Amino acid sequence: MVKKIKITETIIRDGQQSLIATRMTTDEILPIISLLDKVGYHSIEAWGGATYDSCLRFLNEDPWERLRKIKNKAKNTPLQMLFRGQNALGYRHYSDDVIEYFVQRCVANGVNILRIFDALNDVRNLKTAVLATKKENAHVQAAISYTTSPVHNIEYFINLTKEFEEIGADSICIKDMSGLLKPDIAYDLITEIKKITKLPIQIHSHCTSGYAPITYWKAIEAGSDVVDCALSPFSLGTSQPSTETIVAALKDSKYDTDLDINILSEISDYFQKLRKKYIKSGLLDTNLFGIDINMLKYQVPGGMISNLNSQLKEQSKEDKLQEVFEEIPKIREDLGFIPLVTPTSQIVGNQAVLNIITGERYKIVTKEIKEIVRGRYGKTPIKIKNPIVKKIIGDNEIISCRPADLLKAELDSFKHEIKEFIEQEEDVLSYALFGQVAKKFFEFRRAQKYKIDKDLVNMEDQTHPI
Ligand code: CO
């Protein structure tokens, strides 16, 4: 039986997020969208993840404008985004009214598929976003944050899939953010998932350990319907397997993708120039392409490695990278084997840096680590041991309800706080998620506009001298 395998192209989201810390600009992305749109991808992962934060914080760009501009050029291919459940695209839990409004604006501005996940795989944290997406008639892809630990066995993931289906998922993604998923495990996992659901299965992995292309092959054999790939200039290393490789490997087999390698190579020529530019600027560190088998021990996601790398570089502490890596799994175990994915990867990463730099474990504890221990990010895969709880939060109370149940509606107060800067309805969401960072961007945007107005006035002055 011939089965056409579909591909989601990740180069403008996860590909560049994993390799160049999400610094690709809208101006760099736009010229190639029409051609990407011609390929016949299942979807283009175009938005979400760290792109929103990066637009506001580093690129002085409005993320919503990016989305609209991409949508305007991608007329045929569904656009996909990565959405962190109750964290939306931020790093804490937001009230339900913020999440509902966020999802509504995503769909209104052009997102067709929302890949929704929770860092702890706590289904309660996906529910509001899933229901909001259903309400907007967009596609819900519920994602399993894949990790390995004594509790993360096939049975655990099967139960999770059942819960996803119950809350209304339209498809399931196995999100292997650290490239830990081994070929045989992927085969068994997908075979078992296929037995309990008819929903399409998509696989997302990173090449950090080198497993990913082999894992994709086994996943496809077991019935995976879609695989995530990045075009070669931003593939491999901490990114996805390369689109061209997967397309060429499957060609003329019973899993042919039917994609045209000639169009792909034309698009890759474009990105190749960007790749060279980023290697030259130092942002694309070619060291990320080496396979470090030790990564398998530390379960560090692609994006996190490049972040830790630049974080330590800034403080001239690159020599501590190995120690930080070794600290990460210890913290993870302390916290009940939580998966490492945004935001938990950053939280654990920051604490690991603190534990190593201060020379004493939990001498300084971040607010976010305390919140995890207090249950404010949701339920950890297993209970955190008492001595750790005591050390980190003392006698502070631990909650067992859905964390967002404790949050009052907050959208109106955000609207009020930022009203003088609002130029479009989505601005309140940037402020809700990124506070001062968003405000700084709004000020920049206003200054730019003022500058343009002033330039126009000056031009008029010159044309019509008094
Ligand atoms: Co990823």
Side-chain angles (χ1 to χ4, degrees), residues 320-337:
K320 298 278 184 200
L321 191 62
Q322 189 62 26
E323 281 172 67
V324 170
F325 280 163
E326 281 167 23
E327 180 62 12
I328 287 168
K330 292 179 194 157
I331 297 177
R332 199 182 150 235
E333 187 171 351
D334 290 344
L335 300 179
F337 293 109

Side-chain angles (χ1 to χ4, degrees), residues 225-396:
D225 302 275
V226 194
V227 293
D228 280 15
C229 301
L231 281 156
S232 55
F234 289 88
S235 72
L236 304 177
T238 50
S239 174
Q240 269 79 62
S242 107
T243 310
E244 297 96 311
T245 305
I246 300 296
V247 167
L250 296 177
K251 193 162 178 52
D252 299 328
S253 77
K254 56 184 173 179
Y255 308 115
D256 204 328
T257 62
D258 282 349
L259 300 188
D260 182 353
I261 195 107
N262 293 316
I263 303 185
L264 296 178
S265 75
E266 199 183 329
I267 304 171
S268 279
D269 285 346
Y270 176 84
F271 283 110
Q272 196 62 41
K273 293 187 193 98
L274 287 179
R275 178 188 160 96
K276 280 188 186 141
K277 176 192 148 180
Y278 283 113
I279 288 177
K280 211 170 159 192
S281 76
L283 198 55
L284 178 51
D285 183 349
T286 46
N287 286 327
L288 295 175
F289 294 99
I291 298 291
D292 182 354
I293 210 70
N294 286 328
M295 284 301 130
L296 296 171
K297 287 196 263 175
Y298 311 131
Q299 306 206 354
V300 183
M304 187 177 174
I305 300 172
S306 65
N307 272 341
L308 283 176
N309 221 357
S310 45
Q311 214 174 312
L312 288 169
K313 234 180 210 170
E314 271 167 27
Q315 303 177 46
S316 308
K317 301 263 189 205
E318 298 104 302
D319 57 316
K320 298 278 184 200
L321 191 62
Q322 189 62 26
E323 281 172 67
V324 170
F325 280 163
E326 281 167 23
E327 180 62 12
I328 287 168
K330 292 179 194 157
I331 297 177
R332 199 182 150 235
E333 187 171 351
D334 290 344
L335 300 179
F337 293 109
I338 56 171
L340 293 183
V341 62
T342 306
T344 52
S345 51
Q346 284 81 355
I347 296 170
V348 170
N350 290 342
Q351 188 62 47
V353 169
L354 279 176
N355 284 4
I356 295 305
I357 287 181
T358 60
E360 187 188 326
R361 305 192 75 221
Y362 307 113
K363 185 179 179 186
I364 304 171
V365 181
T366 66
K367 186 173 142 259
E368 290 79 10
I369 291 280
K370 288 180 186 162
E371 299 273 274
I372 288 178
V373 176
R374 294 190 60 198
R376 288 186 172 261
Y377 280 81
K379 209 169 155 241
T380 53
I382 57 167
K383 227 172 149 250
I384 301 173
K385 291 193 180 96
N386 264 335
I388 301 290
V389 174
K390 282 265 173 295
K391 183 155 194 163
I392 292 175
I393 60 163
D395 290 326
N396 259 308

Side-chain angles (χ1 to χ4, degrees), residues 13-14 18 45 82 115 175-177 204-206 238 240:
R13 208 289 295 174
D14 207 2
S18 300
E45 192 193 38
L82 183 64
R115 175 178 289 168
K175 180 176 157 58
D176 174 27
M177 55 278 179
H204 173 92
S205 187
H206 290 254
T238 50
Q240 269 79 62

